Amino acid sequence: MKHIQYIGMTMMAATMLTAISCSDFDDYNEVPAEQSVAAQQTLWQNISNNKELSDFADLVKKSGYDKILSSSHFYTVWAPLNGQFDVAKWQTVDSATLRFQFVENHIADYNHFISAPVDERVVTLNEKTYDFKGTSADNASSFAGQTIAKSNVAALNGVIHKLSGEAVYRHNFYEYLTALKETDSLAKYVMHYQKEVLDEKNSVAGPIIDGIQTYEDSVMIVSNTFLDKIGCQLANEDSSYTMLLPTNEAWLKSYATIKKAFNYGNGTILGERCYMDNTTATIQKDLKDEVNSAYLSDSLARMMLAYDLVFSNNNYYNTWLDKGTIGDTLQSTARSKFSNPAELLSHQQGDAIKMSNGTGIVVDSLAFKPWESYLYATGIRSVSAYKNATEPKRITIKKFNDGVGMFDIPGYPNNADWSYNVAFQWMKAKMSSDEIAYYNLDLNLCSATYSVYCVIVPPCADADYASYDPDAEMKQTIFNASLRYYNPTAKKVVDHYFHPSMPEGSSSGPKANADKLEEWAFKNDTTKVDPVYLGDFTFPVCYAGLNNCYPNLIITAPKMDNAHKKLYSRDLRIAAILLIPAELTKSKGE
């Protein structure tokens, strides 16, 4: 016999028994004092000899539970009366299914005798939980929503309650996906990550045959690494979830869209890495990553597609799900937040599927906003400038003062990642040459279009500004910007130059940074912390999952003639580099 013990998605009922409400523990272990003929017979004798329960008795015998209900173990049985449930349905299923989904669904350990008003959650032998409420009067109590026609029929090894209807068996989410694993795209993906390991400690050892230990009764520990990763326990009967279940058509459509963001070309990616911990920057070239392009692209696309489909009903943001209302936010178990719940739920097909631990909603479209979800893996990316330097010799880390206003970018969660004590990088430029700052964009960037920003800080943002530069004149910072990335067509690392009046930029820039200074240079607004928009850029290859290679952003303060020195500052005060999905900035009016 093979038993399943779930770890990570635990279904063990033992821990749940402590929560059973009862004023007197002895009620669970003693036969009621009132004795009758029925009380002198076993549960099975009572059931098999009762004409009102003949249909139930036939199914119990078919499942092999007649022997168990004849044992000395103490049980409570909620037995549905003849004519109150679909007998034909259960007569056609195999014995294992009959046993688990029907017979064990109506039996629980211990004595659930009604000696006083009862209101508790009962764990049945198949580890489902049901409400048990009411008093001992006939038709005044219920189990699993079904009225109890006759309660407290005592037996030698338990008690029987005659039920006016079937306790409807419902899959938990994990059982539901398991049942569909051969025909459903989502189920196939999730069940691919199931692992089973023999629990030797709790298994019953059999004889050793040909030097191999066999087991008469094996207990398997089942886990699912994907569900663990996204923080949900779909097999836990004590949990409560709402889950989006895309149709196969919806799955394939979204998969085709997402997969475009995971383009690794022919699988060879080149890159460079820059270090700024010396007087001059050090550039490590000729870096390479070799990947199985088709496999990695497929794997990541499927993972991102399934990443944000589960929502805990106990999460603060999701409590409205159980109330039949529409809230303004949903948060997945993977911690992504969504601002369009009504749209997400508007694609429901048919009635919601009631599970034993929540509600499944079949949808024919996944309407996630790409920038809010791992669905496209193109969320906001940021590099804190001061973190990009290790033991810098010419870079000083400064703090914002309390009077500095935060910045605003269309679509960006304003102030969400900032506070007045955030540090920024100050690089005092040499007057005789270009000043260059390199930023390694090790951000798992996808093959997608991003709007790129360099957040420039005015001198007055630093409370100590007057102490190291008594000249408090607020000059604009002037700088050039370029991006170094891998071009799969050219099969080499190339440069892209940003231009203040051409958001699409150019593959070639000025011959020297000082050449055509006014044409190519960016300038900040000195009245605020200014996210200077550099332009949009589409990365031709994806960098997600690579070990060595990623793009680099280069900010250059060009050398200037005397006329420009009077107008501009070449000191670089940079708080961050931001890459925001262009879909987001454009949808918000950029």
Side-chain angles (χ1 to χ4, degrees):
M1 180 182 297
K2 175 183 175 183
H3 297 292
I4 303 295
Q5 178 183 12
Y6 289 86
I7 302 297
M9 310 161 298
T10 179
M11 294 173 57
M12 293 182 291
T15 57
M16 301 168 67
L17 294 175
T18 59
I20 296 174
S21 173
C22 181
S23 58
D24 185 357
F25 184 78
D26 289 340
D27 285 350
Y28 290 90
N29 300 287
E30 297 178 359
V31 177
E34 298 84 355
Q35 297 295 312
S36 64
V37 174
Q40 306 305 311
Q41 298 179 336
T42 66
L43 288 167
W44 173 241
Q45 288 172 324
N46 273 282
I47 292 170
S48 60
N49 293 331
N50 192 312
K51 294 181 179 180
E52 294 181 312
L53 302 177
S54 59
D55 290 341
F56 180 68
D58 288 344
L59 295 175
V60 169
K61 187 172 182 63
K62 180 181 178 181
S63 73
Y65 244 76
D66 54 325
K67 300 178 181 64
I68 294 174
L69 294 182
S70 299
S71 69
S72 59
H73 193 96
F74 209 98
Y75 296 106
T76 296
V77 180
W78 288 268
L81 293 164
N82 291 350
Q84 301 298 312
F85 67 102
D86 188 353
V87 182
K89 167 189 171 182
W90 293 110
Q91 286 176 334
T92 59
V93 301
D94 61 84
S95 58
T97 300
L98 174 64
R99 180 187 182 109
F100 182 77
Q101 294 189 8
F102 180 77
V103 177
E104 290 184 342
N105 204 49
H106 290 85
I107 304 173
D109 278 313
Y110 306 112
N111 177 22
H112 295 274
F113 179 83
I114 307 177
S115 59
V118 63
D119 186 359
E120 64 183 59
R121 291 285 284 175
V122 172
V123 183
T124 53
L125 295 184
N126 60 359
E127 297 175 347
K128 301 296 178 180
T129 58
Y130 296 105
D131 288 328
F132 181 37
K133 300 179 179 181
T135 67
S136 58
D138 290 347
N139 299 307
S141 56
S142 64
F143 175 78
Q146 302 291 347
T147 300
I148 295 176
K150 176 67 176 177
S151 60
N152 296 343
V153 178
L156 280 172
N157 58 338
V159 62
I160 301 169
H161 305 290
K162 297 179 181 180
L163 205 57
S164 299
E166 175 184 347
V168 178
Y169 173 86
R170 301 192 191 283
H171 291 290
N172 61 45
F173 279 105
Y174 200 76
E175 292 166 342
Y176 178 83
L177 294 175
T178 301
L180 297 177
K181 66 181 180 180
E182 301 301 329
T183 59
D184 180 83
S185 298
L186 171 62
K188 283 182 181 179
Y189 177 77
V190 174
M191 299 309 298
H192 174 73
Y193 289 92
Q194 176 174 291
K195 306 294 182 184
E196 291 190 30
V197 179
L198 177 68
D199 183 357
E200 296 184 6
K201 180 178 179 181
N202 292 304
S203 297
V204 178
I208 296 177
I209 301 176
D210 295 330
I212 299 175
Q213 177 68 63
T214 64
Y215 293 88
E216 296 179 356
D217 195 355
S218 58
V219 176
M220 305 300 294
I221 297 175
V222 178
S223 62
N224 190 293
T225 53
F226 175 74
L227 295 180
D228 290 344
K229 182 180 180 66
I230 65 173
C232 65
Q233 299 178 359
L234 294 185
N236 190 341
E237 297 288 348
D238 263 357
S239 298
S240 179
Y241 297 108
T242 296
M243 184 175 182
L244 298 181
L245 302 168
T247 62
N248 287 335
E249 292 76 15
W251 175 276
L252 293 173
K253 181 179 178 180
S254 292
Y255 170 80
T257 301
I258 298 167
K259 195 169 184 290
K260 295 176 183 177
F262 295 100
N263 173 28
Y264 293 91
N266 64 2
T268 298
I269 312 293
L270 304 180
E272 297 181 356
R273 187 172 301 152
C274 305
Y275 300 94
M276 292 192 54
D277 51 357
N278 296 308
T279 303
T280 58
T282 299
I283 301 176
Q284 183 180 357
K285 299 184 177 182
D286 301 324
L287 298 176
K288 179 187 291 188
D289 279 299
E290 297 278 4
V291 299
N292 183 327
S293 178
Y295 172 80
L296 188 58
S297 177
D298 174 76
S299 177
L300 290 177
R302 292 177 189 277
M303 181 180 74
M304 298 309 174
L305 177 51
Y307 212 77
D308 286 311
L309 299 178
V310 185
F311 306 89
S312 170
N313 296 331
N314 298 320
N315 182 303
Y316 169 81
Y317 291 99
N318 308 333
T319 52
W320 54 268
L321 283 168
D322 274 343
K323 300 176 182 178
T325 59
I326 294 292
D328 59 6
T329 305
L330 274 174
Q331 186 174 51
S332 71
T333 58
R335 314 308 293 174
S336 300
K337 292 180 183 178
F338 303 98
S339 60
N340 62 330
E343 185 180 5
L344 288 175
L345 300 176
S346 68
H347 296 277
Q348 179 175 337
Q349 299 296 293
D351 295 333
I353 302 173
K354 293 183 178 180
M355 309 287 184
S356 62
N357 58 349
T359 303
I361 299 176
V362 177
V363 292
D364 65 355
S365 180
L366 292 173
F368 292 110
K369 294 180 179 179
W371 51 89
E372 292 184 336
S373 173
Y374 271 93
L375 186 66
Y376 289 81
T378 54
I380 296 169
R381 304 290 193 251
S382 64
V383 174
S384 296
Y386 70 93
K387 291 183 178 179
N388 209 63
T390 304
E391 299 179 358
K393 293 186 177 180
R394 292 186 295 110
I395 297 173
T396 304
I397 306 307
K398 295 293 184 180
K399 298 282 187 179
F400 284 115
N401 65 33
D402 293 338
V404 178
M406 293 295 96
F407 59 83
D408 185 24
I409 298 176
Y412 185 75
N414 192 27
N415 297 348
D417 299 324
W418 300 83
S419 63
Y420 291 122
N421 64 353
V422 170
F424 64 90
Q425 168 187 298
W426 174 49
M427 180 184 291
K428 187 166 182 61
K430 295 178 180 179
M431 300 309 292
S432 58
S433 62
D434 293 341
E435 193 64 66
I436 303 176
Y438 293 89
Y439 299 102
N440 299 316
L441 304 182
D442 51 340
L443 305 172
N444 285 325
L445 295 168
C446 287
S447 179
T449 303
Y450 296 86
S451 296
V452 185
Y453 295 83
C454 178
V455 183
I456 300 292
V457 178
C460 61
D462 185 355
D464 298 327
Y465 173 67
S467 66
Y468 62 80
D469 194 343
D471 180 5
E473 183 178 2
M474 294 297 109
K475 293 181 180 180
Q476 286 182 296
T477 299
I478 190 169
F479 64 95
N480 301 114
S482 61
L483 186 67
R484 190 161 291 167
Y485 68 100
Y486 177 66
N487 185 321
T489 302
K491 297 183 179 180
K492 63 180 180 180
V493 174
V494 298
D495 291 310
H496 170 86
Y497 297 88
F498 293 104
H499 191 287
S501 62
M502 295 189 302
E504 69 278 10
S506 173
S507 60
S508 60
K511 294 180 180 179
N513 288 308
D515 184 35
K516 299 181 180 180
L517 182 64
E518 293 288 350
E519 178 185 349
W520 284 89
F522 292 88
K523 305 166 190 177
N524 70 313
D525 182 343
T526 60
T527 66
K528 63 179 181 179
V529 176
D530 188 13
V532 179
Y533 172 59
L534 304 181
D536 286 2
F537 184 77
T538 302
F539 292 96
V541 295
C542 178
Y543 292 89
L546 301 185
N547 295 320
N548 300 304
C549 299
Y550 39 74
N552 301 279
L553 187 71
I554 302 170
I555 302 296
T556 303
K559 59 183 179 182
M560 297 184 291
D561 56 28
N562 289 330
H564 284 98
K565 289 177 184 178
K566 293 178 181 180
L567 298 174
Y568 304 111
S569 169
R570 294 176 62 249
D571 286 3
L572 294 175
R573 295 178 174 86
I574 302 175
I577 305 300
L578 299 177
L579 288 90
I580 303 177
E583 292 173 283
L584 172 55
T585 57
K586 299 304 179 286
S587 71
K588 298 297 183 178
E590 174 69 305

